[in-house]
Amino acid sequence: MAKPIISKFSVIDADQNNIVSYVCYDDTVDEVEYVIYDNASGNIIVDQTIQTSGSSSMRTFTFPAGTIHNRFLPYYIKISVHNQSGKTSELSDAVLFYCHKLSLIHISEPTRRSY
């Protein structure tokens, strides 16, 4: 079973659900195991197996808000996939990413002055 390839992403907001895309050349994949590491120490922060979606080689999974935390230091993620035959792929290559609070800018219409 070929190892999956994570589509690169650089910054997410850990306070929101996050969708991760990846490619896997096995039509019978039904679960993905994602492992998130602390980049500085290499320690595992999260190791979870969840359902995946997508019917072609391009697939996605969502890790829920609050799974990790917004911070200055980066994380990295690796995944493996499980198919309906019970086979598991090797871990993907690592993708480094950061978690920062999503900034929203609100621009209102300027007030009109009467002269």
Side-chain angles (χ1 to χ4, degrees):
M1 181 175 211
K3 74 178 177 179
I5 302 165
I6 301 172
S7 299
K8 298 211 184 298
F9 58 98
S10 57
V11 179
I12 60 172
D13 185 346
D15 294 335
Q16 298 183 14
N17 290 338
N18 291 281
I19 297 173
V20 177
S21 299
Y22 66 97
V23 175
C24 180
Y25 299 104
D26 182 341
D27 290 339
T28 64
V29 169
D30 58 357
E31 290 182 327
V32 63
E33 177 182 6
Y34 63 91
V35 184
I36 299 175
Y37 301 83
D38 175 71
N39 187 57
S41 67
N43 293 332
I44 294 174
I45 305 291
V46 176
D47 185 349
Q48 278 192 292
T49 301
I50 58 172
Q51 295 295 314
T52 187
S53 61
S55 57
S56 63
S57 60
M58 181 58 95
R59 296 179 175 270
T60 62
F61 68 94
T62 301
F63 61 88
T67 302
I68 52 180
H69 303 287
N70 291 326
R71 65 183 198 172
F72 179 72
L73 299 172
Y75 296 97
Y76 65 94
I77 186 171
K78 294 181 181 182
I79 64 169
S80 66
V81 293
H82 308 263
N83 69 14
Q84 296 167 356
S85 302
K87 294 182 182 177
T88 301
S89 72
E90 63 182 288
L91 283 171
S92 68
D93 293 336
V95 170
L96 186 82
F97 67 98
Y98 292 85
C99 291
H100 298 293
K101 184 89 174 140
L102 178 64
S103 297
L104 297 176
I105 298 174
H106 178 73
I107 300 174
S108 60
E109 185 175 325
T111 56
R112 297 181 183 214
R113 295 183 182 177
S114 300
Y115 293 98

